[in-house]
């Protein structure tokens, strides 16, 4: 842990680093491949919507000796529709059957009572109409759209529209991957899933905003210096928050993994799957997009500006002149002077934190 903390401090000070921004085409390619896979899975398999969205009935039974598999067969024979059965901690069962009206639900409950050897009055039946389920789905999509709009407005005001656009793309990236995984594994989509999606969007934005804040601070008066290009400053900001982003994500993933793999898988608490899967996949995708998508996109957008193009030309010209004179690079971040150039092929991630021999001999610390 001490080594990790030391690495984080060195990354923050710019003494070491990895050039994420320069390799952005690789990350874009990986994201496009994963996103296409998610979209194909969604188109081919579709989402397994819960009865809260498509309507149906939920039967909750008292303790019974009948297994979940036997109850599933009995429910499907009684209802004529597919059934989803989950074991409860009380020893009872939760049986979901779609497309049932009140009369059909009463008939199914009576048949289940006979098959499961329990009293019909002890089986609780909750009905969800198709129209009500459609309203829930529409409200969920409306809430998600409002969330996206507010996020873009806030980021555009707090930072700038390019950062807001990059954050929006990263959020859509995370949502698409999470929804695609749901389609591929066939987990049921419930209101808990929607809650999970909104939660992971918040986590994703947290990491992204932290990097953007450092980038905004580091890019002040950027055109008044000839030491760094915008992409290199973006990379320095990303490296400075890298360990913190990883630590935050790992700490958040551990309890979620417990819910998903131990609670939902090993212990059989299937009701945990709907929210834990969205949290697990979304947190992982959000951490990836914050590092590999959002910041490189901002750098791409900014480098298209005339001012940043001119800055890049000045930086590269100064580096070429320094290389021609045989001067050693001075990577202390000074904005002017004779010793602030670095070799043209030196990336920000690999040169940050170096100190020139001349700076050390004179004792300067710019």
């Amino acid at each position: 842990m001490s080594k990790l903390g030391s690495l984080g401090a060195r990354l923050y000070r710019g003494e070491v680093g990895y050039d994420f921004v320069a390799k952005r085409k690789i990350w874009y390619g990986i994201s496009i491949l994963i996103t296409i896979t998610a979209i194909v899975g969604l188109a081919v398999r579709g989402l397994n919507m819960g009865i809260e969205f498509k309507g149906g009935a939920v039967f909750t039974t008292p303790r019974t000796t009948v297994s979940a598999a036997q109850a599933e067969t009995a429910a499907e024979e009684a209802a004529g529709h597919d059934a989803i059965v989950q074991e409860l901690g009380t020893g009872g069962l939760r049986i979901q059957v779609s497309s049932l009206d009140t009369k059909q639900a009463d008939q199914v409950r009576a048949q289940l009572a006979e098959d499961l050897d329990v009293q019909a009055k002890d089986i609780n039946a909750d009905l969800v109409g198709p129209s009500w389920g459609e309203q829930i789905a529409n409200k969920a999509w409306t809430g998600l759209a409002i969330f996206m709009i507010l996020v873009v407005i806030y980021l555009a005001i707090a930072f700038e529209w390019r950062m807001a656009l990059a954050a929006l793309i990263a959020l859509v990236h995370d949502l698409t991957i999470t929804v695609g995984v749901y389609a591929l594994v066939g987990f049921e989509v419930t209101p808990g899933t929607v809650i999970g999606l909104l939660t992971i969007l918040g986590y994703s934005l947290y990491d992204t905003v932290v990097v953007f804040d450092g980038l905004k601070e580091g890019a002040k008066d950027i055109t008044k210096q000839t030491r760094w290009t915008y992409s290199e400053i973006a990379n320095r900001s990303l490296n400075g928050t890298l360990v913190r982003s990883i630590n935050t994500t790992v700490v958040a993933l551990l309890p979620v993994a417990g819910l998903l793999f131990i609670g939902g898988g090993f212990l059989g608490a299937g009701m945990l799957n709907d929210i834990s899967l969205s949290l697990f996949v979304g947190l992982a995708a959000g951490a990836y997009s914050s590092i590999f998508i959002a910041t490189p996109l901002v750098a791409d957008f900014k480098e298209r500006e005339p001012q940043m193009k001119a800055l890049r030309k000045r930086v590269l010209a100064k580096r070429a002149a320094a290389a021609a004179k045989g001067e050693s690079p001075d990577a202390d971040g000074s904005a002017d002077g004779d010793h602030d150039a670095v070799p043209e092929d030196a990336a920000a991630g690999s040169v940050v934190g170096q100190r020139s021999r001349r700076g050390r001999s004179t004792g300067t610390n710019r």
Side-chain angles (χ1 to χ4, degrees), residues 26-166:
I26 298 176
W27 319 134
Y28 293 166
I30 294 174
S31 293
I32 290 173
L33 180 61
I34 297 175
T35 302
I36 290 175
T37 303
I39 293 174
V40 170
L42 183 61
V44 174
R45 293 179 59 90
L47 291 174
N48 178 22
M49 305 300 292
I51 64 168
E52 294 88 352
F53 296 104
K54 62 183 179 182
V58 178
F59 302 95
T60 306
T61 74
R63 179 183 294 273
T64 177
T65 58
V66 177
S67 67
Q70 292 173 324
E72 182 177 347
T73 301
E76 290 177 350
E77 291 177 353
H81 299 286
D82 291 338
I84 299 175
V85 180
Q86 298 171 332
E87 296 180 355
L88 303 177
T90 59
L93 300 172
R94 184 175 185 265
I95 304 171
Q96 300 182 61
V97 183
S98 60
S99 305
L100 291 181
D101 56 27
T102 303
K103 183 178 180 180
Q104 292 172 325
D106 291 337
Q107 295 174 351
V108 171
R109 178 164 60 177
Q111 186 62 46
L112 285 175
E114 181 180 342
D115 294 336
L116 303 181
D117 194 22
V118 296
Q119 297 292 323
K121 63 182 179 61
D122 294 332
I123 299 178
N124 182 48
D126 294 322
L127 288 175
V128 178
S131 60
W132 189 82
E134 184 178 355
Q135 292 177 6
I136 292 295
N138 291 336
K139 288 181 179 180
W141 286 114
T142 301
L144 187 60
I146 293 174
F147 173 84
M148 292 285 199
I149 293 173
L150 292 178
V151 164
V152 171
I153 293 175
Y154 169 77
L155 291 178
I157 296 174
F159 299 100
E160 58 172 298
W161 70 266
R162 295 169 187 82
M163 291 184 178
L165 179 59

Side-chain angles (χ1 to χ4, degrees), residues 146-208:
I146 293 174
F147 173 84
M148 292 285 199
I149 293 173
L150 292 178
V151 164
V152 171
I153 293 175
Y154 169 77
L155 291 178
I157 296 174
F159 299 100
E160 58 172 298
W161 70 266
R162 295 169 187 82
M163 291 184 178
L165 179 59
L168 178 62
I169 293 174
L171 288 179
V172 173
H173 167 273
D174 300 343
L175 278 176
T176 303
I177 291 177
T178 306
V179 173
V181 170
Y182 260 86
L184 290 172
V185 302
F187 277 14
E188 187 179 23
V189 177
T190 68
T193 305
V194 178
I195 295 172
L197 288 174
L198 293 175
T199 303
I200 61 102
L201 292 180
Y203 271 99
S204 176
L205 280 173
Y206 170 79
D207 281 344
T208 302

Side-chain angles (χ1 to χ4, degrees), residues 8-26:
R10 294 178 67 193
L11 284 167
Y12 180 79
R13 292 193 298 266
E15 296 173 2
V16 296
Y18 183 80
D19 202 351
F20 294 98
V21 176
K23 295 178 175 60
R24 55 187 176 271
K25 291 184 179 179
I26 298 176

